[in-house]
Amino acid sequence: MTEDVSPTVARRHLRLALREAREAANLTQLEVAEEMEWSLSKIIRIENGDVRISPNDLRPLLTLLNVKDKTTVADLLAFAKIARTRQRTAWYQTPEFRSHITDASMRLIEYEIEAQEIRYYQMHFMPGPLQTAAYTAANFAKFEDDEISAATRHHRAEARDRRRQTVLSRLGDLRMYALFDQSVFHRTLGGLEVFVEQLSFLLDLAVAGKVNVRMIPFDSPHAPLTNNATFELYTLRAGDPTSDVLYRETGLVDEIVEDREIARKHHERFDKIWRASATEEDTIDFMRNRIKELEAHIRDREST
């Protein structure tokens, strides 16, 4: 069960298992802290994944939480050991990036590396790893310095470029599903040339079968189904819905949600809307026609 598990995934699995065991034992975090003679903040940090628990601390904690199954105990101890191993310092962990990338985004990058499936539900823009460099630049250009500083915009754009390279290199082993509201294909962010390049990039991926793309048409009779904000789902183990991690982002705030029930509901919502949307073939045809339409506008503009 613990073979080929990274410290990131091991840490997530362990802390969720501990929280669920505590809730099953009908104990509050404060009660556990008092029984273990730990501070309440230590319990909170362990369950949040902010600190790593040692095997020596884990054993009595599992006893308190009435976790007795030998296989389960052995797996959790193995996860604890893996979670405490040091990973090679990655590019996003260097000081120049850490000071400009949110904690949620740092964890998102780790889950992108580990995920076996990614699902994007997009209402406004292309998802980060599927953006061209010019589209990304246009996206960040929307922000004023008092919202996001120029230095932060620069580093986040570079981070997005690196994420794109990593994710694209994994396509094939990584299954990706991108579900777009039709408005995304009409929002010519960065101007016609930039958007044609962006749309052509996505089209090539879809035609090659590397990304599964569907569109929610404006005239869809199932429009009420789309009453969701943008979200992303990262499935760490294909076929295991309990391994889903939810990511949500607005213009200025982002968050990782690892509550399994919340992630499950979003996964079910995604699947329901996916089935009700235009087929992948129809979506590809729409993108082709949209590109031709935009290219015609470019030619008309240049001829005047």
Side-chain angles (χ1 to χ4, degrees), residues 46-47 64 83 119 138-139 199 231 253 269 286:
I46 288 173
E47 290 194 5
L64 172 65
R119 289 168 174 81
N139 200 327
L199 204 51
F231 65 86
V253 178
R269 186 72 159 173
F286 180 90

Side-chain angles (χ1 to χ4, degrees), residues 100 102 105 122 124-125 139-144 146-149 152-153 156 160 229-230 247-255:
H100 295 285
T102 66
S105 294
Q122 296 290 329
H124 305 292
F125 306 109
N139 200 327
F140 281 118
K142 303 190 314 297
F143 295 98
E144 302 290 340
D146 61 348
E147 295 176 315
I148 302 177
S149 71
T152 295
R153 295 198 301 270
R156 289 184 182 180
R160 190 164 293 182
T230 289
Y247 177 74
R248 293 187 292 211
E249 179 183 13
T250 64
L252 300 173
V253 178
D254 63 344
E255 64 174 342

Side-chain angles (χ1 to χ4, degrees), residues 3 8 23 67 95 100 108 128 134 154 157 162 169 185 200 205 208-209 224 240 277:
E3 293 180 1
T8 299
E23 292 173 347
V67 178
H100 295 285
L108 170 67
H154 170 77
R162 295 192 184 209
S169 71
F185 298 125
S200 299
L205 291 174
D240 180 3
S277 299

Side-chain angles (χ1 to χ4, degrees), residues 212-282:
N212 301 283
V213 179
R214 289 195 177 189
M215 179 186 71
I216 308 162
F218 286 144
D219 59 356
S220 170
H222 305 286
L225 292 177
T226 66
N227 188 24
N228 275 89
T230 289
F231 65 86
E232 302 173 9
L233 281 167
Y234 296 81
T235 303
L236 303 181
R237 293 186 301 276
D240 180 3
T242 67
S243 71
D244 281 353
V245 175
L246 174 67
Y247 177 74
R248 293 187 292 211
E249 179 183 13
T250 64
L252 300 173
V253 178
D254 63 344
E255 64 174 342
I256 291 284
V257 181
E258 298 192 70
D259 184 287
R260 290 176 176 174
E261 182 63 14
I262 293 176
R264 181 189 66 79
K265 289 180 179 179
H266 280 74
H267 197 139
E268 290 178 353
R269 186 72 159 173
F270 183 96
D271 289 346
K272 187 175 183 180
I273 301 171
W274 180 268
R275 291 191 296 269
S277 299
T279 66
E280 289 159 72
E281 292 78 9
D282 287 345

